[in-house]
Amino acid sequence: MPVEELNQEERDSWMRALPEWSLAREGKAIERSFEFADFSEAFAFMARVALIAEKRDHHPEWFNVYNKVDVTLTTHDAGGLSLKDMKMAKAIGSLL
Amino acid sequence: MPVEELNQEERDSWMRALPEWSLAREGKAIERSFEFADFSEAFAFMARVALIAEKRDHHPEWFNVYNKVDVTLTTHDAGGLSLKDMKMAKAIGSLL
């Protein structure tokens, strides 16, 4: 079953529910930066996100340097943002 | 003890020993891209690199999307490449 891109109304509604996330790539992705005490904590977070990603078969684009993790979510199959990204953003937020 | 930046001769000698790595940031860093079968394998590799990084107290800058991992090594304290980066590159290569 193909994943559908959210329409603008759905997207805006989700963004209000996820105030820590920002739109990126002209509304085709969302992103959030996380900062931890050190690399150990940052990587522990990444390991937990990796488990969520694998379980949902939806994977982040992410960058890490020491205690910082930048996460970008988008749905390639949908050509933009889908429900998968928003639910994943919510799941990631619930780890903190 | 401060970490010293490698001189050009040392750097070039190391680069010949690490042909899979490329100089980046005007010779101040080295980088290498890795590709795996899937996210699970890519993240397993990242977990092993994370353990090496923590043990050596020398951490990569890295980006991952699905089965791809881009690793950049540099030594901020040295303002460029140090022995730490080259030894770390070697250790990462030995994981494969």
Side-chain angles (χ1 to χ4, degrees), chain B residues 13-67:
Chain B
S13 171
W14 270 103
M15 292 312 289
R16 283 191 294 276
L18 296 167
E20 304 91 348
W21 292 78
S22 307
L23 287 174
R25 299 182 194 167
E26 298 178 340
K28 298 292 186 188
I30 53 174
E31 62 185 13
R32 182 173 173 186
S33 295
F34 300 85
E35 197 167 327
F36 300 91
D38 53 25
F39 177 75
S40 175
E41 282 197 15
F43 197 77
F45 166 76
M46 291 176 75
R48 296 188 74 190
V49 172
L51 296 182
I52 291 174
E54 196 66 0
K55 196 165 185 176
R56 291 170 178 259
D57 197 19
H58 191 54
H59 303 88
E61 299 178 28
W62 50 0
F63 174 81
N64 161 245
V65 55
Y66 195 56
N67 65 331

Side-chain angles (χ1 to χ4, degrees), chain A residues 13-51:
Chain A
S13 172
W14 270 103
M15 292 310 290
R16 283 193 293 275
L18 297 166
E20 304 90 349
W21 293 78
S22 307
L23 287 174
R25 300 182 194 168
E26 298 177 343
K28 298 291 186 188
I30 52 174
E31 62 185 14
R32 182 173 173 185
S33 294
F34 300 85
E35 196 167 327
F36 300 91
D38 53 26
F39 177 75
S40 175
E41 282 197 15
F43 197 77
F45 167 76
M46 291 176 76
R48 297 188 74 191
V49 171
L51 296 183

Side-chain angles (χ1 to χ4, degrees), chain B residues 56-96:
Chain B
R56 291 170 178 259
D57 197 19
H58 191 54
H59 303 88
E61 299 178 28
W62 50 0
F63 174 81
N64 161 245
V65 55
Y66 195 56
N67 65 331
K68 293 190 177 70
V69 184
D70 298 332
V71 179
T72 301
L73 301 175
T74 187
T75 304
H76 292 107
D77 291 350
L81 287 167
S82 76
L83 204 53
K84 281 189 161 193
D85 301 304
M86 302 313 194
K87 288 186 172 177
M88 177 107 174
K90 203 175 159 188
I92 290 173
S94 72
L95 293 176
L96 303 176

